[in-house]
PDB file of all heavy atoms in Angstrom:
ATOM      1  N   GLU A  52     147.284  33.119  81.794  1.00  0.00           N
ATOM      2  CA  GLU A  52     146.087  32.270  81.918  1.00  0.00           C
ATOM      3  C   GLU A  52     144.841  33.150  82.182  1.00  0.00           C
ATOM      4  O   GLU A  52     143.778  32.949  81.617  1.00  0.00           O
ATOM      5  CB  GLU A  52     146.288  31.299  83.085  1.00  0.00           C
ATOM      6  CG  GLU A  52     145.479  30.045  82.972  1.00  0.00           C
ATOM      7  CD  GLU A  52     145.648  29.185  84.239  1.00  0.00           C
ATOM      8  OE1 GLU A  52     146.443  29.556  85.142  1.00  0.00           O
ATOM      9  OE2 GLU A  52     144.934  28.157  84.319  1.00  0.00           O
ATOM     10  N   ARG A  53     145.036  34.140  83.077  1.00  0.00           N
ATOM     11  CA  ARG A  53     143.936  35.027  83.468  1.00  0.00           C
ATOM     12  C   ARG A  53     143.347  35.760  82.262  1.00  0.00           C
ATOM     13  O   ARG A  53     142.144  35.945  82.151  1.00  0.00           O
ATOM     14  CB  ARG A  53     144.449  36.051  84.493  1.00  0.00           C
ATOM     15  CG  ARG A  53     143.349  36.941  85.056  1.00  0.00           C
ATOM     16  CD  ARG A  53     143.910  38.024  85.927  1.00  0.00           C
ATOM     17  NE  ARG A  53     144.685  37.516  87.039  1.00  0.00           N
ATOM     18  CZ  ARG A  53     145.715  38.155  87.608  1.00  0.00           C
ATOM     19  NH1 ARG A  53     146.098  39.329  87.146  1.00  0.00           N
ATOM     20  NH2 ARG A  53     146.365  37.623  88.603  1.00  0.00           N
ATOM     21  N   LYS A  54     144.238  36.129  81.331  1.00  0.00           N
ATOM     22  CA  LYS A  54     143.778  36.894  80.177  1.00  0.00           C
ATOM     23  C   LYS A  54     142.765  36.104  79.351  1.00  0.00           C
ATOM     24  O   LYS A  54     141.637  36.559  79.084  1.00  0.00           O
ATOM     25  CB  LYS A  54     144.974  37.273  79.301  1.00  0.00           C
ATOM     26  CG  LYS A  54     144.729  38.501  78.465  1.00  0.00           C
ATOM     27  CD  LYS A  54     145.983  38.887  77.702  1.00  0.00           C
ATOM     28  CE  LYS A  54     145.624  39.821  76.559  1.00  0.00           C
ATOM     29  NZ  LYS A  54     146.770  39.931  75.639  1.00  0.00           N
ATOM     30  N   THR A  55     143.115  34.863  78.978  1.00  0.00           N
ATOM     31  CA  THR A  55     142.178  34.060  78.186  1.00  0.00           C
ATOM     32  C   THR A  55     140.977  33.615  79.020  1.00  0.00           C
ATOM     33  O   THR A  55     139.822  33.734  78.580  1.00  0.00           O
ATOM     34  CB  THR A  55     142.851  32.790  77.589  1.00  0.00           C
ATOM     35  OG1 THR A  55     143.845  32.358  78.517  1.00  0.00           O
ATOM     36  CG2 THR A  55     143.448  33.049  76.232  1.00  0.00           C
ATOM     37  N   ALA A  56     141.287  33.146  80.226  1.00  0.00           N
ATOM     38  CA  ALA A  56     140.167  32.678  81.064  1.00  0.00           C
ATOM     39  C   ALA A  56     139.217  33.823  81.380  1.00  0.00           C
ATOM     40  O   ALA A  56     137.996  33.682  81.319  1.00  0.00           O
ATOM     41  CB  ALA A  56     140.687  32.066  82.350  1.00  0.00           C
ATOM     42  N   GLY A  57     139.792  34.979  81.680  1.00  0.00           N
ATOM     43  CA  GLY A  57     138.952  36.154  82.019  1.00  0.00           C
ATOM     44  C   GLY A  57     137.964  36.458  80.908  1.00  0.00           C
ATOM     45  O   GLY A  57     136.780  36.692  81.137  1.00  0.00           O
ATOM     46  N   GLN A  58     138.486  36.425  79.693  1.00  0.00           N
ATOM     47  CA  GLN A  58     137.617  36.709  78.542  1.00  0.00           C
ATOM     48  C   GLN A  58     136.512  35.671  78.429  1.00  0.00           C
ATOM     49  O   GLN A  58     135.331  35.994  78.248  1.00  0.00           O
ATOM     50  CB  GLN A  58     138.465  36.749  77.277  1.00  0.00           C
ATOM     51  CG  GLN A  58     137.774  37.480  76.142  1.00  0.00           C
ATOM     52  CD  GLN A  58     138.628  37.398  74.862  1.00  0.00           C
ATOM     53  OE1 GLN A  58     139.854  37.148  74.921  1.00  0.00           O
ATOM     54  NE2 GLN A  58     137.996  37.600  73.740  1.00  0.00           N
ATOM     55  N   GLN A  59     136.902  34.393  78.598  1.00  0.00           N
ATOM     56  CA  GLN A  59     135.920  33.298  78.486  1.00  0.00           C
ATOM     57  C   GLN A  59     134.867  33.372  79.589  1.00  0.00           C
ATOM     58  O   GLN A  59     133.661  33.222  79.331  1.00  0.00           O
ATOM     59  CB  GLN A  59     136.642  31.940  78.558  1.00  0.00           C
ATOM     60  CG  GLN A  59     137.409  31.610  77.318  1.00  0.00           C
ATOM     61  CD  GLN A  59     138.252  30.352  77.502  1.00  0.00           C
ATOM     62  OE1 GLN A  59     138.561  29.946  78.648  1.00  0.00           O
ATOM     63  NE2 GLN A  59     138.627  29.744  76.399  1.00  0.00           N
ATOM     64  N   PHE A  60     135.370  33.614  80.813  1.00  0.00           N
ATOM     65  CA  PHE A  60     134.430  33.703  81.948  1.00  0.00           C
ATOM     66  C   PHE A  60     133.440  34.855  81.758  1.00  0.00           C
ATOM     67  O   PHE A  60     132.247  34.740  82.002  1.00  0.00           O
ATOM     68  CB  PHE A  60     135.184  33.892  83.267  1.00  0.00           C
ATOM     69  CG  PHE A  60     136.005  32.716  83.693  1.00  0.00           C
ATOM     70  CD1 PHE A  60     136.885  32.798  84.778  1.00  0.00           C
ATOM     71  CD2 PHE A  60     135.901  31.495  83.009  1.00  0.00           C
ATOM     72  CE1 PHE A  60     137.633  31.705  85.173  1.00  0.00           C
ATOM     73  CE2 PHE A  60     136.668  30.409  83.401  1.00  0.00           C
ATOM     74  CZ  PHE A  60     137.542  30.506  84.485  1.00  0.00           C
ATOM     75  N   ASN A  61     134.009  35.956  81.284  1.00  0.00           N
ATOM     76  CA  ASN A  61     133.157  37.138  81.055  1.00  0.00           C
ATOM     77  C   ASN A  61     132.084  36.865  80.014  1.00  0.00           C
ATOM     78  O   ASN A  61     130.911  37.230  80.176  1.00  0.00           O
ATOM     79  CB  ASN A  61     134.037  38.290  80.575  1.00  0.00           C
ATOM     80  CG  ASN A  61     133.793  39.524  81.434  1.00  0.00           C
ATOM     81  OD1 ASN A  61     132.734  39.649  82.077  1.00  0.00           O
ATOM     82  ND2 ASN A  61     134.755  40.410  81.451  1.00  0.00           N
ATOM     83  N   GLU A  62     132.516  36.189  78.926  1.00  0.00           N
ATOM     84  CA  GLU A  62     131.558  35.842  77.876  1.00  0.00           C
ATOM     85  C   GLU A  62     130.460  34.942  78.434  1.00  0.00           C
ATOM     86  O   GLU A  62     129.282  35.131  78.155  1.00  0.00           O
ATOM     87  CB  GLU A  62     132.279  35.140  76.712  1.00  0.00           C
ATOM     88  CG  GLU A  62     132.918  36.124  75.754  1.00  0.00           C
ATOM     89  CD  GLU A  62     133.809  35.417  74.717  1.00  0.00           C
ATOM     90  OE1 GLU A  62     133.728  34.161  74.621  1.00  0.00           O
ATOM     91  OE2 GLU A  62     134.569  36.119  74.072  1.00  0.00           O
ATOM     92  N   LEU A  63     130.910  33.991  79.259  1.00  0.00           N
ATOM     93  CA  LEU A  63     129.944  33.070  79.863  1.00  0.00           C
ATOM     94  C   LEU A  63     128.960  33.846  80.738  1.00  0.00           C
ATOM     95  O   LEU A  63     127.738  33.687  80.667  1.00  0.00           O
ATOM     96  CB  LEU A  63     130.655  32.001  80.697  1.00  0.00           C
ATOM     97  CG  LEU A  63     129.736  31.058  81.476  1.00  0.00           C
ATOM     98  CD1 LEU A  63     128.931  30.171  80.522  1.00  0.00           C
ATOM     99  CD2 LEU A  63     130.522  30.186  82.452  1.00  0.00           C
ATOM    100  N   LYS A  64     129.514  34.753  81.558  1.00  0.00           N
ATOM    101  CA  LYS A  64     128.685  35.535  82.477  1.00  0.00           C
ATOM    102  C   LYS A  64     127.643  36.333  81.691  1.00  0.00           C
ATOM    103  O   LYS A  64     126.447  36.359  82.011  1.00  0.00           O
ATOM    104  CB  LYS A  64     129.578  36.474  83.291  1.00  0.00           C
ATOM    105  CG  LYS A  64     128.845  37.244  84.359  1.00  0.00           C
ATOM    106  CD  LYS A  64     129.821  38.147  85.097  1.00  0.00           C
ATOM    107  CE  LYS A  64     129.060  39.202  85.879  1.00  0.00           C
ATOM    108  NZ  LYS A  64     129.965  40.167  86.483  1.00  0.00           N
ATOM    109  N   GLN A  65     128.127  36.991  80.604  1.00  0.00           N
ATOM    110  CA  GLN A  65     127.199  37.793  79.820  1.00  0.00           C
ATOM    111  C   GLN A  65     126.151  36.941  79.120  1.00  0.00           C
ATOM    112  O   GLN A  65     124.964  37.289  79.038  1.00  0.00           O
ATOM    113  CB  GLN A  65     127.969  38.637  78.807  1.00  0.00           C
ATOM    114  CG  GLN A  65     128.368  39.971  79.426  1.00  0.00           C
ATOM    115  CD  GLN A  65     129.498  40.656  78.692  1.00  0.00           C
ATOM    116  OE1 GLN A  65     129.742  40.374  77.503  1.00  0.00           O
ATOM    117  NE2 GLN A  65     130.215  41.521  79.382  1.00  0.00           N
ATOM    118  N   ALA A  66     126.633  35.779  78.612  1.00  0.00           N
ATOM    119  CA  ALA A  66     125.691  34.883  77.918  1.00  0.00           C
ATOM    120  C   ALA A  66     124.609  34.408  78.879  1.00  0.00           C
ATOM    121  O   ALA A  66     123.411  34.419  78.550  1.00  0.00           O
ATOM    122  CB  ALA A  66     126.429  33.677  77.332  1.00  0.00           C
ATOM    123  N   VAL A  67     125.022  34.045  80.109  1.00  0.00           N
ATOM    124  CA  VAL A  67     124.043  33.568  81.105  1.00  0.00           C
ATOM    125  C   VAL A  67     123.068  34.693  81.460  1.00  0.00           C
ATOM    126  O   VAL A  67     121.848  34.511  81.499  1.00  0.00           O
ATOM    127  CB  VAL A  67     124.758  33.025  82.362  1.00  0.00           C
ATOM    128  CG1 VAL A  67     123.758  32.770  83.482  1.00  0.00           C
ATOM    129  CG2 VAL A  67     125.523  31.757  82.025  1.00  0.00           C
ATOM    130  N   ALA A  68     123.611  35.921  81.658  1.00  0.00           N
ATOM    131  CA  ALA A  68     122.751  37.060  81.999  1.00  0.00           C
ATOM    132  C   ALA A  68     121.734  37.299  80.882  1.00  0.00           C
ATOM    133  O   ALA A  68     120.540  37.541  81.133  1.00  0.00           O
ATOM    134  CB  ALA A  68     123.594  38.296  82.246  1.00  0.00           C
TER     135      ALA A  68
END
Side-chain angles (χ1 to χ4, degrees):
E52 205 185 356
R53 185 187 302 150
K54 205 176 162 194
T55 33
Q58 199 184 339
Q59 287 172 339
F60 293 171
N61 232 338
E62 277 171 12
L63 175 67
K64 185 180 164 186
Q65 271 161 22
V67 170

